[in-house]
Amino acid sequence: MLTLLDQYEEEIYCKWKSKVDDVCQFNLDQPLIKRTDKDGLLSVNFDPELVAVLRDVRYLLLLGQSDIPRSALEMYKKRRTFDMHIGVLDLVVQWYNKIKQTVLEIEYPLIETELRTVDDLLMEAERTFTWLEENCWEYIEYVKATVYDLEERLQRSKDNIKAIQQIMKGWMEQLIFYRKDNKKEALLNMEDKEDRLSKKFMSLQEDGHKIHTLAQNDMDVMVELSETRKVIMGRVNDVITKAVDFKTSFEPYAYLWTEDRSEFMKQFLFDGHMSSSGETETPADIDIYETLYTQVSKLEDFIIFEGWFKVDMKPFLICLLNIIKKWSWMFKEYLLRFVIDSLTDLEEFIKMTDAGLQKELKEGDYNGLIDVMVHLMAVRDRQTTTNELFKPLKDTIILLESYGQKMPDHIYVLVEELPERWNMTKKLAISIKHEVAPLLTSEVTLLRKKCAAFDGKQIGFRERFRVDAPFHCDAKNPYALLDKANRELEALEEEMSHLKESANLFEVIMPDYKQMKQCRKEIQLLKRVWDINVYVTDIRSLDKEVRSWNVYISLEITIRNMLTSLRVITELQNPAMRDRHWYQLMDAIGVHFSVSKHTTLAELLALKLHKFEDDIRSIVDKAVKELGTEKILIEISQIWTTMEFTYEKHYRTNIPLLKIDEQLFETLDNNQVQLQTILQSKYVEYFIEQVLNWQKKLNVADAVIFIWMDVQRTWAHLETIFIGSHDIRDQLPLDARRFDGIDSDFKVIGEQPP
């Protein structure tokens, strides 16, 4: 029985093969569309036999048939292109037929020229372009755009006329006056005459605006009005250009509202535009903003372009002037604060210094002498800066006054009094310095003796250091010796620091103590030398005689194993390593362990990884290859998580129809090829379920999209026939009723959220 079935199947397939070449060649060589002689309507000329061939080839490929005729395979490869062409041509045919069937006799002269142009354009699809043509997509898109534009404008005009008629119909239904009790013999009710007339007038006004708007929408169809519209729009564009140019003229001021003033000031000071005395290196900075303020203030509140387009500048100018004032005030505020802070700080300094210098100093009061010397040194350090401070401060005050910025009254008092008070403080410092000169002399003498004693101490330390420090390779406990020398040196450095402070205070020149600096340098060098000597010894520098010794051989093997282990550990740091790879590594070396951020190098070396270098390299290589597969699967998942279909509404029913997206189909094909390549890899074992799952999903998606596009195209074609034509419904009532059910089901599915 099975043999008979196989023979029958082979017989059917051979019969199909013998005809398929002729079917493809004949039907593909037909024009894209055809026109009926009776009514001049169009239809897509894609023969059902070609649809059957595409369906048969698809099923044969799924069954794994290998000897499919070349012409059928070539046609199947172009199925996406055919789908795109058929889908667009279906729309073109529907729109064109709708125009031909619905245009009224009074409307025809308005579109006669454009319709003739469309017919000339479609002539190429009726005579020249066939399904074998590969470079006709641009032509089809252009035809689609042209026909759609004409159909859409015509339909919009019809809808507008219906809307206008409906509005005017309402005028007849709404009475202005009525008779009492709706009796013919009764008089008209005129009690609320004014109110009724007012309401009717307002209603007519609203309807007039609506009709005017609808009429405006029809200007594209009416040539005379279109020309007038072009003139008006040309003037509007001229005004827009001039208004934009006027707006662009304010772009040089954009930094005023885009830049942060506080950040600008920080950078301004950082770049050194302000000196320590308060003088600006760019004195015109404030003038720039003041001049800008004057210029903006002179601008007109209203600007009129071309005599009819009026721009109210007042709100913008008020805001701009406020911003300019803020920038100007930022610099003024800095100068104001600098003057006040400088004078206040100097006043406080003079008070403290005078009080400190006037304290009674007794003989032997070392701390009191130190306090006096601190104040004297402060006066000395500040003298040059303060002497040069008063003139710039006065100039800054005059500058601020020129901009209308007054100082507090006490600042004017300080400006006048502080120069004299500062001179008095300097004289007081000189006087006190003479008074403490005897105490100062004795303290200086004592300090010099301390320096001399310390010099002897540091020379002695230097001599001991040269003897005790581990300068020889046979030194025992070199680090202990270095630690001891470092502690002694730190104690001497601390003592030297105190001596330097006193010497600076009493203006005593202190020796450089180069021996201590040399000891510090040598301690650092010895530490580095012993680190190298203890931890990084190069065995290749040893004498050849020792290479035959067992200790040398063992050391060489240990070092070689160490290098191998370090190389292996470096490879294990590859980011492709996952938990499963670590478990494979544990099985390979026969030891279970855990790796965390606290794992030490010693723990890894204890695993003797050098014995398993080949196994580890194989595991790492596998991890790298699997990482590539993992990235592809993640990319596929991300693509199809965010992938969305695009839709276009059916021109008659507004049902969303799936739009042909070449990029989606290309992505689908590429992902299927990637999954097939992964399945052929020897590293697919871990991902086999994910790969098969995605392959199944994409295959199902491909099949569903193909079937849906076929159903959608068929529905769109039949919808035009059975819904758009009453004659056909009357001629084929059974088929029309059957399609009504199909149409209802399709619309329910189509109106569901995507």
Side-chain angles (χ1 to χ4, degrees):
M1 187 65 179
L2 292 175
T3 303
L4 291 174
L5 289 174
D6 291 339
Q7 290 176 354
Y8 179 74
E9 179 181 350
E10 182 64 25
E11 180 181 351
I12 294 298
Y13 180 69
C14 291
K15 186 182 295 183
W16 178 82
K17 282 179 57 179
S18 65
K19 296 180 179 180
V20 71
D21 288 336
D22 294 335
V23 170
C24 293
Q25 180 63 35
F26 176 77
N27 290 302
L28 290 177
D29 200 28
Q30 297 299 314
L32 298 178
I33 59 176
K34 58 184 178 180
R35 186 187 298 268
T36 59
D37 297 330
K38 181 179 179 180
D39 51 14
L41 298 181
L42 300 178
S43 61
V44 179
N45 193 24
F46 193 80
D47 199 277
E49 289 185 345
L50 295 177
V51 177
V53 170
L54 290 173
R55 183 175 60 251
D56 293 340
V57 172
R58 177 177 178 80
Y59 292 144
L60 289 172
L61 289 174
L62 292 174
L63 294 173
Q65 190 70 32
S66 59
D67 59 339
I68 300 173
R70 181 177 180 182
S71 60
L73 283 176
E74 291 295 327
M75 178 181 169
Y76 184 77
K77 290 179 181 179
K78 299 178 180 179
R79 67 189 186 282
R80 304 293 187 200
T81 303
F82 290 149
D83 287 340
M84 293 170 57
H85 290 181
I86 292 171
V88 175
L89 289 173
D90 273 338
L91 293 174
V92 171
V93 168
Q94 291 172 16
W95 295 332
Y96 180 86
N97 291 343
K98 180 184 176 184
I99 294 172
K100 295 279 287 186
Q101 293 171 337
T102 61
V103 66
L104 300 177
E105 183 178 357
I106 196 172
E107 295 172 342
Y108 186 80
L110 295 174
I111 64 168
E112 182 179 6
T113 303
E114 292 183 80
L115 190 59
R116 189 179 297 113
T117 302
V118 170
D119 287 334
D120 294 339
L121 190 61
L122 290 170
M123 193 66 67
E124 291 187 84
E126 297 177 46
R127 297 181 180 180
T128 306
F129 289 110
T130 67
W131 298 102
L132 295 173
E133 185 69 35
E134 295 185 359
N135 299 319
C136 61
W137 177 247
E138 293 184 1
Y139 165 76
I140 294 175
E141 282 286 303
Y142 178 72
V143 171
K144 173 189 173 185
T146 304
V147 177
Y148 174 76
D149 178 66
L150 178 58
E151 187 275 338
E152 193 270 339
R153 286 188 287 114
L154 179 60
Q155 186 61 44
R156 187 174 69 243
S157 297
K158 289 177 176 291
D159 294 340
N160 292 341
I161 291 173
K162 288 181 181 179
I164 292 173
Q165 290 174 342
Q166 191 65 30
I167 292 172
M168 296 176 70
K169 184 179 179 181
W171 297 348
M172 297 184 294
E173 296 174 351
Q174 298 173 2
L175 301 177
I176 300 178
F177 303 110
Y178 62 93
R179 299 181 185 274
K180 292 182 179 180
D181 302 327
N182 292 325
K183 295 180 180 180
K184 292 183 179 180
E185 62 273 15
L187 298 176
L188 293 174
N189 185 4
M190 306 296 290
E191 294 177 354
D192 52 352
K193 171 185 173 183
E194 297 298 329
D195 184 53
R196 284 180 172 274
L197 289 175
S198 176
K199 289 182 178 179
K200 189 64 176 179
F201 178 76
M202 292 178 61
S203 176
L204 290 174
Q205 264 193 329
E206 292 177 359
D207 292 341
H209 287 305
K210 292 179 182 178
I211 293 174
H212 178 73
T213 302
L214 294 172
Q216 281 292 115
N217 293 335
D218 292 338
M219 279 189 177
D220 291 336
V221 179
M222 304 167 74
V223 178
E224 295 82 0
L225 294 179
S226 296
E227 293 298 326
T228 304
R229 181 175 179 271
K230 288 180 181 179
V231 173
I232 295 174
M233 290 307 299
R235 294 176 180 175
V236 171
N237 290 330
D238 290 341
V239 167
I240 291 174
T241 302
K242 292 181 179 180
V244 170
D245 292 340
F246 179 71
K247 168 182 162 279
T248 306
S249 67
F250 287 92
E251 287 185 358
Y253 309 130
Y255 73 95
L256 294 170
W257 58 81
T258 58
E259 291 190 10
D260 186 279
R261 289 191 298 276
S262 59
E263 292 297 325
F264 179 88
M265 193 62 180
K266 289 179 183 178
Q267 188 64 36
F268 184 81
L269 298 175
F270 179 78
D271 292 340
H273 292 290
M274 289 285 186
S275 66
S276 60
S277 61
E279 293 181 307
T280 60
E281 294 183 5
T282 54
D285 287 322
I286 299 177
D287 287 337
I288 291 174
Y289 295 104
E290 292 297 321
T291 303
L292 183 59
Y293 184 88
T294 303
Q295 292 175 352
V296 174
S297 300
K298 295 179 180 179
L299 294 177
E300 298 292 336
D301 291 341
F302 297 96
I303 303 295
I304 299 176
F305 298 96
E306 297 293 326
W308 62 272
F309 188 78
K310 186 177 182 180
V311 178
D312 185 3
M313 294 288 295
K314 190 178 244 183
F316 171 73
L317 292 178
I318 292 174
C319 183
L320 181 58
L321 290 172
N322 288 335
I323 293 175
I324 295 172
K325 274 298 180 184
K326 289 179 181 179
W327 279 89
S328 177
W329 169 247
M330 179 179 68
F331 291 98
K332 295 176 185 177
E333 184 185 27
Y334 173 81
L335 295 177
L336 181 65
R337 190 171 60 248
F338 179 81
V339 171
I340 294 174
D341 291 346
S342 298
L343 293 174
T344 304
D345 178 65
L346 179 57
E347 182 186 27
E348 187 65 26
F349 175 78
I350 291 174
K351 287 180 180 179
M352 292 180 60
T353 302
D354 289 349
L357 292 177
Q358 291 173 359
K359 287 182 180 179
E360 184 179 357
L361 184 62
K362 298 180 180 180
E363 188 175 354
D365 185 0
Y366 178 76
N367 292 331
L369 179 61
I370 293 296
D371 289 340
V372 170
M373 294 305 299
V374 168
H375 287 298
L376 291 175
M377 186 170 64
V379 173
R380 182 191 65 189
D381 293 341
R382 185 164 183 155
Q383 186 167 348
T384 302
T385 303
T386 305
N387 289 342
E388 298 175 353
L389 179 64
F390 296 110
K391 185 179 183 305
L393 287 180
K394 290 180 179 179
D395 293 340
T396 302
I397 292 174
I398 294 172
L399 176 65
L400 290 172
E401 288 177 343
S402 67
Y403 295 120
Q405 185 63 48
K406 295 291 184 180
M407 290 286 176
D409 293 338
H410 73 281
I411 296 299
Y412 291 105
V413 175
L414 291 178
V415 170
E416 296 299 326
E417 292 181 353
L418 284 182
E420 183 62 28
R421 291 173 62 184
W422 170 244
N423 290 330
M424 295 296 295
T425 300
K426 290 190 292 183
K427 292 178 181 179
L428 178 61
I430 296 172
S431 174
I432 295 299
K433 188 174 183 180
H434 287 300
E435 290 179 8
V436 300
L439 297 175
L440 184 61
T441 302
S442 61
E443 191 61 37
V444 167
T445 302
L446 180 60
L447 181 59
R448 286 175 176 166
K449 290 181 180 179
K450 289 181 180 180
C451 291
F454 182 78
D455 186 50
K457 187 185 293 187
Q458 62 104 17
I459 291 174
F461 172 78
R462 173 65 179 169
E463 293 174 351
R464 292 195 307 275
F465 178 78
R466 293 296 299 173
V467 175
D468 298 336
F471 285 100
H472 300 283
C473 61
D474 56 351
K476 295 181 180 180
N477 299 323
Y479 289 110
L481 295 174
L482 288 174
D483 287 341
K484 179 183 177 183
N486 185 61
R487 286 194 296 271
E488 293 181 10
L489 183 57
E490 285 179 346
L492 288 174
E493 288 173 340
E494 184 177 0
E495 184 178 352
M496 184 178 67
S497 176
H498 292 308
L499 285 175
K500 277 188 176 181
E501 291 178 2
S502 299
N504 187 42
L505 195 60
F506 292 101
E507 300 181 356
V508 175
I509 299 175
M510 189 175 176
D512 199 17
Y513 301 126
K514 295 182 180 179
Q515 290 85 349
M516 286 182 60
K517 293 182 179 179
Q518 185 64 26
C519 288
R520 171 56 64 195
K521 179 180 178 181
E522 290 177 355
I523 286 176
Q524 294 173 349
L525 292 174
L526 283 171
K527 173 66 169 58
R528 293 175 61 187
V529 170
W530 278 104
D531 286 344
I532 295 173
N533 190 42
V534 172
Y535 298 110
V536 192
T537 302
D538 188 356
I539 64 173
R540 291 176 296 181
S541 62
L542 297 176
D543 195 281
K544 293 182 180 180
E545 184 178 350
V546 305
R547 298 186 181 181
S548 60
W549 296 354
N550 180 264
V551 64
Y552 177 86
I553 296 172
S554 299
L555 180 60
E556 186 179 29
I557 293 173
T558 301
I559 293 175
R560 189 181 300 116
N561 293 340
M562 170 73 77
L563 293 174
T564 303
S565 296
L566 293 176
R567 188 166 55 249
V568 168
I569 291 172
T570 301
E571 291 185 0
L572 289 175
Q573 291 177 329
N574 195 299
M577 291 290 290
R578 300 290 186 266
D579 290 343
R580 63 181 183 275
H581 302 124
W582 288 105
Y583 288 122
Q584 293 172 11
L585 175 61
M586 294 177 195
D587 293 339
I589 66 177
V591 177
H592 289 277
F593 60 91
S594 61
V595 177
S596 66
K597 63 181 181 179
H598 302 295
T599 303
T600 63
L601 178 62
E603 292 172 347
L604 293 176
L605 293 176
L607 298 175
K608 298 182 179 180
L609 298 176
H610 61 274
K611 296 181 179 180
F612 310 98
E613 182 179 10
D614 294 337
D615 294 334
I616 293 173
R617 185 173 286 114
S618 176
I619 292 172
V620 174
D621 184 61
K622 180 181 179 182
V624 173
K625 295 294 192 300
E626 289 182 351
L627 179 62
T629 301
E630 181 180 341
K631 289 181 178 179
I632 293 175
L633 292 175
I634 292 174
E635 181 183 359
I636 291 176
S637 177
Q638 292 175 344
I639 289 174
W640 291 101
T641 299
T642 58
M643 183 71 73
E644 294 182 354
F645 289 115
T646 55
Y647 298 86
E648 57 183 356
K649 291 187 177 181
H650 187 255
Y651 73 96
R652 186 201 305 275
T653 62
N654 286 332
I655 296 295
L657 300 180
L658 187 63
K659 191 176 181 180
I660 298 174
D661 190 340
E662 191 65 28
Q663 182 179 0
L664 185 146
F665 292 129
E666 183 178 349
T667 302
L668 181 60
D669 291 339
N670 290 340
N671 291 158
Q672 288 176 314
V673 172
Q674 287 179 318
L675 293 173
Q676 188 62 37
T677 303
I678 292 174
L679 284 174
Q680 297 174 358
S681 171
K682 65 178 181 178
Y683 300 105
V684 73
E685 179 181 359
Y686 181 77
F687 303 98
I688 186 67
E689 292 185 6
Q690 297 182 50
V691 175
L692 292 176
N693 185 32
W694 270 110
Q695 190 179 46
K696 180 180 177 181
K697 288 180 179 178
L698 296 185
N699 286 338
V700 170
D702 191 14
V704 169
I705 293 172
F706 180 81
I707 294 172
W708 180 255
M709 294 295 294
D710 192 17
V711 171
Q712 177 179 284
R713 184 171 55 255
T714 304
W715 172 84
H717 180 67
L718 294 177
E719 197 271 346
T720 304
I721 296 174
F722 288 105
I723 305 299
S725 176
H726 296 289
D727 294 340
I728 295 178
R729 292 182 63 86
D730 295 338
Q731 295 173 10
L732 303 171
L734 294 177
D735 291 337
R737 284 196 297 273
R738 182 183 176 193
F739 178 76
D740 287 343
I742 296 173
D743 181 63
S744 177
D745 294 340
F746 183 84
K747 289 179 179 178
V748 170
I749 297 173
E751 290 175 351
Q752 292 178 357

